[in-house]
Amino acid sequence: MTSATPIPFLDLVRPHLALEEPLVAAFRRALRTAQFVGGPDVEGFEREFATYCEAQGCVGVNSGTDALRFAFIALGVRSGDEVIAPAHTFIATTEAITQAGGTVRFVDIDDRTMTIDPAAVRAAIGPRTVGIVPVHLYGQPADMDPLLELAKEHGLWVVEDAAQAHGGRYKGRRVGAIGRLGCFSFYPGKNLGSLGEGGAVTGAEPALLEAVRRLREHGQSSKYVHDTEGYNGRLHAIQAAFLRIKLAHLDEWNACRQRVAAWYRAALGGIPELVLPEVAPYAEHVYHLYVIRTPARDALREHLQKEGIGSGLHYPVPLHLQQAYAAQGHKKGSLPVTERAAAQCLSLPMFPEMSESQVGRVADAVRSFFRA
Ligand SMILES: *Cc1c(COP(=O)(O)O)cnc(C)c1O
């Protein structure tokens, strides 16, 4: 037990208090103009986020899940189509495939980076495969070039799930501007979070972005003209206004996250039972999460909790072994790297405002666990 102030896994209060005045001003503006749906803040944010991602265009939607679902539908996913995705991710990545009418084909991850393994993707491509969905997990871009090559070779599309990696770069290129489409979430805890729900699709092809734009708005191309059915999936104007304010700080926040990660690396080095996150040479990692791995994960987590330190599990049950996918008939051991990651991963506190002394306290607590 400790009398020191607890260290939360995530602090969502401080960054918003620091921006209280502009955020409240944005709310007041919305109140006075009653521009609640669409309008200049949605269009402004779409422009600014496209520029930030170095993408040609951006369409704001209601969530990261909508972003993924609309991307898959816009790309024409139909019943019987197979889409390859990692099993070590949040279920939104793959439920969107199913909801678009396709079938998920789970593959394993690379043991060093924890992102989709291009060799596993190659082995999984079959006559029904239409696309690949790399997830830039924890803030680290997946290895895109081998996937783009496979896609070219087999006539597939690549959609990036960039929900955890706003601002990350792959060989100098911003995520979201590498595949056919990029999908972002603005769930509050993400590197760029709204004050509720939000998401975006980025890309370079006007026709695809236009298809996503129609899908978010009941399939309509102009008022009450519906060439297809769609969804109610718009980005709220008030969230767009909040996001414009927060986007201006994203690079600074990501730099803070990278500094926190460097402190962790220095403070946690040399513990034999512990694997620290590995940054691939092609990646600029933006540390949505700082995930360590150890076979003693559960006991370490309990120890940290006793010391007043928050932590998280991303993700403890791999998707291919979830009840939701039981019909696929996967057995334990079918995706061994994923299953080991699920058993060993532990997300330590990570947020831009974290101080060096807080990182030091987390590291001391980890060290004291392995000494005992
Ligand atoms: C958060 C997240 C999503 C879903 O985003 P929502 O905005 O919550 O719908 C999708 N994929 C990944 C990898 C995520 O982390």
Side-chain angles (χ1 to χ4, degrees), residues 11 16 53 61 65 87 128 189 214 236-237 275 294 321 329 335-336 350:
D11 183 354
H16 294 104
C53 295
V61 295
T65 311
R128 293 177 165 270
R214 281 196 303 272
H236 294 189
V275 178
T294 174
L321 299 178
L335 300 177
M350 167 57 82

Side-chain angles (χ1 to χ4, degrees), residues 23-107:
L23 291 171
V24 169
F27 179 70
R28 195 173 290 123
R29 218 165 39 244
L31 207 59
R32 291 177 182 176
T33 59
Q35 178 77 66
F36 300 131
V37 177
D41 277 320
V42 173
E43 286 162 23
F45 174 71
E46 288 176 341
R47 233 174 11 250
E48 288 154 15
F49 194 64
T51 302
Y52 179 85
C53 295
E54 299 165 8
Q56 298 300 308
C58 167
V59 181
V61 295
N62 190 243
S63 67
T65 311
D66 273 355
L68 289 157
R69 190 192 308 122
F70 298 167
F72 300 143
I73 297 172
L75 283 159
V77 168
R78 287 177 299 153
S79 171
D81 288 350
E82 273 186 18
V83 178
I84 297 173
H88 189 61
T89 179
F90 182 55
I91 194 168
T93 311
T94 56
E95 68 186 357
I97 296 169
T98 313
Q99 289 164 3
T103 302
V104 186
R105 176 70 196 263
F106 289 113
V107 297

Side-chain angles (χ1 to χ4, degrees), residues 86 107-111 114-122 147 150 337:
V107 297
D108 218 339
I109 50 171
D110 180 290
D111 188 47
M114 322 267 283
T115 53
I116 195 167
D117 179 357
V121 172
R122 176 182 290 280
L147 300 177
L150 281 173
V337 186

Side-chain angles (χ1 to χ4, degrees), residues 62-68 88-95 134-138 161-166 183-188 190 196-200 288-289 314-315:
N62 190 243
S63 67
T65 311
D66 273 355
L68 289 157
H88 189 61
T89 179
F90 182 55
I91 194 168
T93 311
T94 56
E95 68 186 357
V135 179
H136 304 314
L137 198 72
Y138 308 153
D161 183 340
Q164 301 190 359
H166 319 64
C183 299
F184 290 87
S185 162
F186 305 123
Y187 187 75
K190 304 288 162 98
E197 303 279 353
H288 172 56
L289 296 168
H314 303 92
Y315 297 87

Side-chain angles (χ1 to χ4, degrees), residues 95-281:
E95 68 186 357
I97 296 169
T98 313
Q99 289 164 3
T103 302
V104 186
R105 176 70 196 263
F106 289 113
V107 297
D108 218 339
I109 50 171
D110 180 290
D111 188 47
R112 290 162 307 124
T113 61
M114 322 267 283
T115 53
I116 195 167
D117 179 357
V121 172
R122 176 182 290 280
I125 293 173
R128 293 177 165 270
T129 310
V130 295
I132 308 166
V133 189
V135 179
H136 304 314
L137 198 72
Y138 308 153
Q140 165 145 263
D143 192 2
M144 294 297 291
D145 276 349
L147 300 177
L148 294 171
E149 248 167 68
L150 281 173
K152 200 166 161 194
E153 195 180 313
H154 296 272
L156 314 174
W157 45 255
V158 175
V159 167
E160 299 170 69
D161 183 340
Q164 301 190 359
H166 319 64
R169 289 184 189 273
Y170 175 81
K171 298 185 180 173
R173 297 169 70 189
R174 277 257 154 97
V175 301
I178 306 170
R180 288 284 294 282
L181 293 169
C183 299
F184 290 87
S185 162
F186 305 123
Y187 187 75
K190 304 288 162 98
N191 286 32
L192 178 62
S194 67
L195 277 59
E197 303 279 353
V201 179
T202 50
E205 295 165 58
L208 269 182
L209 292 172
E210 194 47 45
V212 171
R213 205 179 295 281
R214 281 196 303 272
L215 284 164
R216 78 172 172 186
E217 192 124 21
H218 304 286
Q220 68 179 14
S221 46
S222 59
K223 197 149 177 87
Y224 301 127
V225 178
H226 308 267
D227 302 330
T228 64
E229 291 182 340
Y231 297 82
N232 179 345
R234 292 172 294 249
L235 175 64
H236 294 189
I238 187 74
Q239 298 302 343
F242 295 148
L243 285 164
R244 293 181 86 175
I245 293 163
K246 294 185 72 181
L247 177 59
H249 297 272
L250 178 55
D251 278 338
E252 161 200 329
W253 288 330
N254 280 345
C256 290
R257 290 175 182 275
Q258 288 165 343
R259 197 173 54 164
V260 170
W263 289 332
Y264 268 131
R265 176 160 300 282
L268 289 173
I271 302 174
E273 303 92 333
L274 200 65
V275 178
L276 301 182
E278 185 166 324
V279 184

